Amino acid sequence: MNQDFDILIVGGGAAGFFSAINIVERNPKLKVAILERGKEVLSKVRVSGGGRCNVTHACFEPNELVKYYPRGEKELRGPFHQFCSGDTIEWFEKHGVELKIEDDGRIFPVSNSSQTIIDCFLTASQKLGIAILTGQSVQSIFKKDNCWKIETQTENYLAEKLILATGSNPKIWDMLHTFGHAIVTPVPSLFTFNIKDPRIKELPGIATQVNVKVIGSKLESTGPLLITHWGMSGPAILKLSAWGARILHDKNYQFAIEVNWLNDIETEEAETLLKELKQEHAKKTVAKKSPLEVQNRLWESLVLASGIGAETKWADLSKIQLHNLASQLTKGIFQVNGKSTFKEEFVTAGGIDLKEINFKTMESKIHPNLYFAGEIVNIDAITGGFNFQNAWTSGFIVANAIAEMISTD
């Protein structure tokens, strides 16, 4: 037997819930259901931002906000003019969730718990009568007359409109492909770099502001870098991994990076600086204490890597040693051999080709009454709340388009 709904949403994540709630708030008479293949909904929201849920980012200007999206920059400009980060804050506050802006611009619930966001969505859904159906893995999608038919392992569903908010789900992409949609092959986006190098081996936990480049490409990034047990992480690295998702995939994650530990000081300037320090600190031991904005342990490691002995005094440094140290500080070359991914915060570059979507409505250009929200499309962002903002914005646009269509029917 078929279960009939006005609107079916496949995917019980951030984009699915946001679409559903906004649709029913505008049209309380609509019968709406969310189908989720897992046992519980919003599992990615639960683990995001270290369990705190990084809801969005304090970038309130649409033309600036789009710059954080390696894929989707051009397409999101219009949608962000309709629903941007300021609107997100207002929406959550209206729904009883107070948010706070942290120093780095990331926005979290004041409670510091993702459960606050989950409770907000579940409470709103219950109040609005949205059916949440878990353990419903979609087996097939059919277009039947003027409606969509969805088959799961246990049930059949019919709906006039279908919203797919399934994130990076290869099975759904395959189904869409058979429906004539082009899928941009997915590759990992946010990932850390595996590096085995004696210079950083003993330094896990050190975080510092750097400039980092991928050698042989135009990829470059500035920001905090974190040394880990397996290599390098932190915003500077994650940014590179997002912008370089395709390039680094094509290199099979084997490439070299150049790290400037002094951030914006170039080699020549660093050499001049070191010569001045040689005069100033003549009797002091070079390796002992960092005279620059570099942590002591990192400084010591780079000094030793420059061929300077642990007990060498500043006065005894040769021209070559000074040059080597300036190079280590500003042009350290590190070999990357593979990547590590945050499995729970996995983001992919890839998905439905953006040319096949109407970004005024998030409707498929190929099939009427088929809509997309969130990461199912070929849009992704760097870390910092931007991927969630895409989920909220696309969910809002879908809801808005459906509301306008219904009011003109």
Side-chain angles (χ1 to χ4, degrees):
M1 204 175 99
N2 295 323
Q3 290 198 47
D4 286 18
F5 290 92
D6 296 308
I7 294 162
L8 265 181
I9 296 165
V10 181
F17 269 86
F18 205 74
S19 304
I21 293 164
N22 280 286
I23 287 167
V24 185
E25 282 182 342
R26 300 274 292 268
N27 303 278
K29 289 177 184 157
L30 288 180
K31 201 177 168 196
V32 175
I34 294 172
L35 302 184
E36 166 56 43
R37 64 179 170 169
K39 285 186 189 144
E40 58 173 51
V41 292
L42 300 161
S43 50
K44 204 168 170 183
V45 170
R46 186 180 301 286
V47 296
S48 75
R52 298 198 298 144
C53 189
N54 183 185
V55 176
T56 185
H57 200 93
C59 178
F60 302 111
E61 172 49 52
N63 294 339
E64 285 305 308
L65 186 59
V66 292
K67 291 176 184 169
Y68 293 95
Y69 295 79
R71 283 143 295 270
E73 179 178 347
K74 182 167 97 286
E75 291 78 7
L76 285 173
R77 194 165 274 122
F80 283 159
H81 275 92
Q82 277 195 63
F83 194 89
C84 203
S85 353
D87 302 302
T88 299
I89 294 170
E90 196 181 324
W91 190 95
F92 278 103
E93 288 187 345
K94 245 188 220 163
H95 290 78
V97 178
E98 212 182 323
L99 302 174
K100 58 171 179 174
I101 301 173
E102 301 207 334
D103 293 344
D104 59 4
R106 291 183 305 161
I107 296 178
F108 292 92
V110 167
S111 66
N112 273 331
S113 169
S114 55
Q115 193 59 46
T116 307
I117 304 298
I118 294 170
D119 292 345
C120 164
F121 286 162
L122 293 178
T123 304
S125 302
Q126 201 178 356
K127 206 161 75 182
L128 297 165
I130 296 163
I132 300 168
L133 308 164
T134 54
Q136 297 295 310
S137 176
V138 172
Q139 303 302 305
S140 58
I141 300 173
F142 298 104
K143 189 96 182 270
K144 193 181 172 199
D145 305 325
N146 278 342
C147 67
W148 293 94
K149 184 180 181 184
I150 303 286
E151 286 183 352
T152 68
Q153 332 83 309
T154 54
E155 302 283 343
N156 290 343
Y157 298 94
L158 286 176
E160 189 190 326
K161 297 185 193 311
L162 176 63
I163 299 165
L164 296 178
T166 46
S168 308
N169 184 331
K171 195 166 135 191
I172 300 290
W173 280 330
D174 287 346
M175 288 179 201
L176 284 168
H177 190 55
T178 62
F179 264 87
H181 265 292
I183 306 297
V184 177
T185 313
V187 299
S189 180
L190 297 176
F191 51 84
T192 61
F193 295 174
N194 294 354
I195 298 169
K196 278 196 167 78
D197 191 291
R199 286 169 292 177
I200 59 168
K201 189 170 183 267
E202 304 297 328
L203 304 177
I206 280 188
T208 184
Q209 189 81 6
V210 301
N211 175 274
V212 57
K213 299 172 183 173
V214 172
I215 292 170
S217 79
K218 289 180 179 166
L219 294 170
E220 185 174 349
S221 153
T222 298
L225 178 147
L226 173 69
I227 297 171
T228 67
H229 288 286
W230 60 89
M232 291 181 186
S233 181
I237 296 295
L238 293 173
K239 231 185 281 180
L240 275 189
S241 78
W243 289 100
R246 299 237 160 247
I247 296 164
L248 303 181
H249 173 264
D250 292 346
K251 290 179 185 287
N252 201 21
Y253 309 107
Q254 309 288 322
F255 54 94
I257 58 171
E258 180 187 291
V259 180
N260 184 341
W261 300 104
L262 300 181
N263 197 2
D264 52 2
I265 296 174
E266 295 302 323
T267 313
E268 278 180 27
E269 198 185 332
E271 218 167 320
T272 307
L273 208 56
L274 292 172
K275 280 175 186 163
E276 288 168 10
L277 289 166
K278 183 179 171 176
Q279 304 298 320
E280 217 176 299
H281 298 297
K283 290 178 183 170
K284 290 181 181 169
T285 308
V286 183
K288 206 160 188 185
K289 193 172 186 297
S290 169
L292 301 170
E293 299 230 342
V294 174
Q295 284 99 324
N296 287 334
R297 283 163 61 218
L298 176 59
W299 167 262
E300 185 187 1
S301 177
L302 297 176
V303 167
L304 298 177
S306 309
I308 299 165
E311 298 304 320
T312 306
K313 301 272 192 285
W314 278 94
D316 301 329
L317 287 184
S318 67
K319 259 188 186 167
I320 288 173
Q321 286 173 321
L322 276 173
H323 177 73
N324 287 350
L325 182 52
S327 294
Q328 284 289 350
L329 286 162
T330 58
K331 281 186 179 170
I333 309 290
F334 292 85
Q335 195 58 43
V336 177
N337 182 13
K339 62 172 174 51
S340 295
T341 310
F342 300 125
K343 290 196 173 49
E344 69 276 9
E345 295 196 41
F346 189 61
V347 172
T348 51
I352 299 158
D353 194 317
L354 304 182
K355 294 195 286 289
E356 300 176 350
I357 300 161
N358 175 354
F359 278 87
K360 289 190 170 80
T361 58
M362 296 308 293
E363 188 175 17
S364 161
K365 287 181 180 176
I366 297 172
H367 298 285
N369 291 326
L370 173 62
Y371 298 83
F372 306 113
E375 265 182 59
I376 187 172
V377 306
N378 184 26
I379 286 177
D380 63 285
I382 65 167
T383 180
F386 303 104
N387 285 298
F388 272 136
Q389 186 56 50
N390 172 43
W392 315 138
T393 296
S394 53
F396 176 84
I397 297 234
V398 168
N400 205 34
I402 288 171
E404 282 180 8
M405 194 183 286
I406 284 167
S407 68
T408 57
D409 279 356

